[in-house]
Amino acid sequence: MDLSAEFKRWKAQCLSKVDLSRKGSVDEDVLEIVQLLNGQEQFFTTSSCAGRIILLDGSINGSEVQKQNCSWLLVTHKACVKDDVVVALRRANGNAILKFEPLVLHVQCRQLQDARILHSVAIDSGFRNSGITVGKRGKIMLAVRSTHGLEVPLSHQGKLMVTEEYIDFLLKIANQKMEENKKRIERFYNCLQHALEKETVAATSHPKEKVNSPYIRKKKRNPEKAHGKRVTEENGKELENNDHDDPGISVTVFPEDY
């Protein structure tokens, strides 16, 4: 199998698909990263979400809120205020849960070396739950993730179980996490630009030599700050599940101390 040609086919197929997410477009805060990655021969994004605060109303019959079986009472990719949550909670009939979800970005990579460079960029930027998976068909996927989420139940069977003061307290925490998430996205964009520039220079200077990027080191710190800003999360699920006809994952790589 010509993996290079297969990768080009996968990329063309992915980027030509219609965005089927609820929002229908790439989140603004991650748009520049998505455009930068999709503009490279060795990468393309399959799904993304820049981070969001959501209020979900789940079934009263289940112990967990499942997104596909719940009502979205509120969703925002910006800071949230108490009054908006209180108004949204009036429509809750089941078990309402307030969540903050940080950036999620899935990128398919042409070669493992490309994924390793991108993985180091993610770790250095604060997304320490990131990892690489390699499918038996040769698909190399990099998931950019972090662990600073938030999930708190607010109501049970439609009855509010907390005070408005506590909701205000939770939103302060969620908004702080959102701000930190934005800073990590900016660092990621800056580190990604720097890593791509290094690879370009190295490939031009030593076209026949194997490139060992400094970004492969796991614990590099203090990346420079720069101005930077999803194919979207739901839209990418179909592509991520395309390996269902290729059972199992052959390799998984995660940082040692995430």
Side-chain angles (χ1 to χ4, degrees), residues 102 165-166 202:
E165 182 180 8
Y166 185 65

Side-chain angles (χ1 to χ4, degrees), residues 19-211:
D19 191 331
L20 300 177
S21 67
R22 292 172 182 264
K23 185 170 180 284
S25 62
V26 177
D27 295 337
E28 180 181 354
D29 286 339
V30 78
L31 179 59
E32 290 187 2
I33 292 176
V34 169
Q35 291 176 337
L36 180 57
L37 288 169
N38 289 337
Q40 309 299 313
E41 293 183 355
Q42 67 271 40
F43 303 115
F44 67 91
T45 59
T46 63
S47 67
S48 66
C49 177
R52 60 193 177 185
I53 297 172
I54 55 179
L55 182 64
L56 304 174
D57 187 23
S59 169
I60 63 175
N61 298 319
S63 59
E64 296 182 0
V65 172
Q66 301 295 331
K67 291 180 183 178
Q68 61 270 30
N69 296 318
C70 68
S71 174
W72 294 56
L73 301 177
L74 180 149
V75 56
T76 178
H77 298 276
K78 300 179 180 179
C80 189
V81 297
K82 181 190 70 175
D83 290 346
D84 291 341
V85 174
V86 171
V87 171
L89 278 169
R90 294 171 185 167
R91 305 197 305 272
N93 297 311
N95 302 328
I97 293 183
L98 179 71
K99 300 182 69 175
F100 165 72
E101 297 178 338
L103 169 79
V104 176
L105 178 66
H106 293 95
V107 185
Q108 189 166 332
C109 308
R110 184 175 55 190
Q111 297 179 351
L112 185 58
Q113 173 72 4
D114 301 321
R116 291 178 64 197
I117 294 171
L118 199 56
H119 178 263
S120 291
V121 168
I123 298 300
D124 288 343
S125 303
F127 297 102
R128 302 196 60 77
N129 199 30
S130 300
I132 301 169
T133 58
V134 182
K136 292 180 180 179
R137 291 180 58 195
K139 288 187 177 181
I140 302 170
M141 188 69 62
L142 186 285
V144 180
R145 299 172 299 213
S146 63
T147 59
H148 70 296
L150 179 70
E151 182 172 344
V152 183
L154 299 182
S155 71
H156 178 61
Q157 297 182 1
K159 179 182 177 181
L160 186 63
M161 305 300 292
V162 299
T163 64
E164 290 191 13
E165 182 180 8
Y166 185 65
I167 293 174
D168 190 46
F169 168 72
L170 288 177
L171 288 176
K172 288 180 180 178
I173 296 176
N175 289 335
Q176 289 173 355
K177 289 179 177 290
M178 178 71 80
E179 185 61 30
E180 172 59 26
N181 182 65
K182 290 180 181 294
K183 292 179 180 178
R184 295 185 186 188
I185 290 174
E186 291 178 355
R187 290 199 296 268
F188 184 93
Y189 181 71
N190 178 51
C191 289
L192 176 59
Q193 283 187 312
H194 185 62
L196 293 174
E197 290 170 359
K198 288 283 188 180
E199 288 301 301
T200 299
V201 171
T204 302
S205 302
H206 308 285
K208 295 183 180 181
E209 295 181 10
K210 183 177 179 179
V211 176

